[in-house]
Amino acid sequence: MDAMLLPAAINGDKKSLSASAREQISTLNGSRPGAFSFELAWAWIVIIGAITWAKHMDTAWASAIAIFLVATRQNVLGLLVHDQAHLLGYRNKLGDLLVNLFAGFPLLLMTVEGYAQVHLAHHRDYFTSTDPDFLRKSGKDWDFPMRKMDLFKIFLKDLSGLNTIKVILGKNPSKDNPVFIRRHPTPKWVRPVYLLAIAGILTFTGMWTTFLLYWVLPLLSITQAIVRWGAICEHKYNLPKASVADSTPLIILSWWEKLLLPNLNFAMHPYHHFFPGVSFSLLPKVHEIFQKEGLVNEQNVFHGNLAYLKYITRTKQKAASAVET
């Protein structure tokens, strides 16, 4: 297994920090409703603006751009559900309900409560036989390094919608997983009423075509490819009982990558596992603290998505050699 481990970008883990550094990070714990609300509002501004602009332009190229922009923001909505699963958005009684209404339910089959059961089990049972994410992603589609053509075929299936149902159902809790009880769960009747209300509005306004073209189409295709890439950047799977540092890349994105494909600092994923109580908005500060502590192995940090793509599509011999050196 050792030859297949990632080159660790973090030397150690949170226990390797000095007492003062741990104290600094402890002040970052807790919900950040301001940053969360901004990202949620901005995602919907981009979505509504892109669709309105595309309908005004009424051209194929404008529609294509709008569909891509909507897909990137659908991914953001999913990431906000992820943060709320950790109660990093809102901690009040209406927190889960608000995030479901404006982020989870619009993605059709996603809820904060369902996602939390899967994701929190992943944190608790990291890379073991009871980690639902590890089990779901321990197959040939997640075996890296991988030939470029094989990876292309997987993304093609995502873009065509062939993998959509499997991916979405994988985000729902299994009956075999222990249940993580939410303090203030959204009543089960809310989602069907919500969906019926949306259907009624679309029928009344005659906007079903717009909805199918600019919401359902990207959700079933481009969004799934973006989610796939995010998951590939999240962990290197097929490594039973591997540590976070040995199975989680640290990817530092450039400003234009954050603009083109925003991922709410998800590429700084080792820090999320070390400190799941820290909001996405503060993960760069955690990175700065680790750098000051001398715990970041800069030569193993991937600078940009392309750098990581090149790494995971190398031949196995070259990848193993890179790790050994």
Side-chain angles (χ1 to χ4, degrees), residues 136-147:
R136 181 166 58 91
K137 299 172 183 175
S138 292
K140 64 178 183 178
D141 286 356
W142 301 93
D143 189 14
F144 294 99
M146 181 184 292
R147 293 191 312 151

Side-chain angles (χ1 to χ4, degrees), residues 47-311:
I47 288 168
I48 294 170
I51 295 173
T52 302
W53 171 75
K55 287 176 66 68
H56 172 73
M57 296 298 292
D58 195 25
T59 61
W61 63 268
S63 293
I65 292 174
I67 287 170
F68 174 77
L69 289 174
V70 168
T72 63
R73 269 56 194 186
Q74 288 176 335
N75 182 56
V76 168
L77 295 181
L79 293 174
L80 290 172
V81 170
H82 161 270
D83 249 44
Q84 182 60 24
H86 290 280
L87 294 175
L88 299 178
Y90 310 116
R91 286 184 179 267
N92 56 57
K93 291 182 179 180
L94 298 179
D96 286 1
L97 173 62
L98 289 172
V99 177
N100 275 329
L101 290 175
F102 294 101
F105 292 171
L107 300 177
L108 302 184
L109 294 177
M110 196 172 193
T111 66
V112 173
E113 294 83 1
Y115 182 82
Q117 289 187 38
V118 174
H119 185 67
L120 298 182
H122 164 60
H123 273 264
R124 185 194 61 193
D125 303 330
Y126 188 79
F127 273 41
T128 66
S129 60
T130 52
D131 175 353
D133 267 5
F134 180 73
L135 295 176
R136 181 166 58 91
K137 299 172 183 175
S138 292
K140 64 178 183 178
D141 286 356
W142 301 93
D143 189 14
F144 294 99
M146 181 184 292
R147 293 191 312 151
K148 292 184 178 69
M149 183 54 65
D150 292 336
L151 184 59
F152 174 76
K153 290 177 181 178
I154 292 172
F155 276 114
L156 196 60
K157 286 183 179 180
D158 289 326
L159 290 170
S160 66
L162 294 177
N163 284 335
T164 300
I165 299 300
K166 181 171 67 174
V167 171
I168 292 176
L169 291 178
K171 297 293 184 182
N172 290 324
S174 167
K175 293 180 180 179
D176 297 329
N177 286 333
V179 177
F180 290 84
I181 303 299
R182 305 294 289 182
R183 274 188 166 185
H184 307 290
T186 303
K188 291 184 178 180
W189 59 264
V190 175
R191 183 163 64 164
V193 170
Y194 173 94
L195 295 175
L196 285 172
I198 294 297
I201 292 171
L202 293 173
T203 301
F204 180 76
T205 58
M207 294 187 67
W208 273 106
T209 300
T210 298
F211 173 71
L212 292 173
L213 177 62
Y214 292 110
W215 190 259
V216 176
L217 176 60
L219 181 61
L220 299 181
S221 56
I222 298 175
T223 300
Q224 299 309 315
I226 295 173
V227 170
R228 167 84 59 178
W229 176 246
I232 290 172
C233 294
E234 179 183 8
H235 298 298
K236 186 177 187 295
Y237 289 92
N238 292 322
L239 297 172
K241 298 182 180 180
S243 69
V244 170
D246 289 332
S247 56
T248 310
L250 176 57
I251 306 172
I252 306 299
L253 303 180
S254 61
W255 67 268
W256 64 267
E257 287 178 301
K258 295 177 183 178
L259 185 64
L260 181 66
L261 204 63
N263 75 350
L264 306 188
N265 297 317
F266 207 66
M268 293 183 165
H269 209 61
Y271 303 124
H272 171 63
H273 274 270
F274 294 157
F275 305 100
V278 175
S279 163
F280 70 86
S281 60
L282 297 175
L283 291 180
K285 289 189 177 181
V286 176
H287 178 57
E288 291 176 7
I289 293 171
F290 268 74
Q291 284 183 312
K292 289 178 182 178
E293 292 278 296
L295 295 175
V296 178
N297 190 343
E298 297 291 348
Q299 68 178 4
N300 291 338
V301 175
F302 295 97
H303 292 278
N305 287 311
L306 183 59
Y308 191 59
L309 177 62
K310 288 180 178 178
Y311 177 79

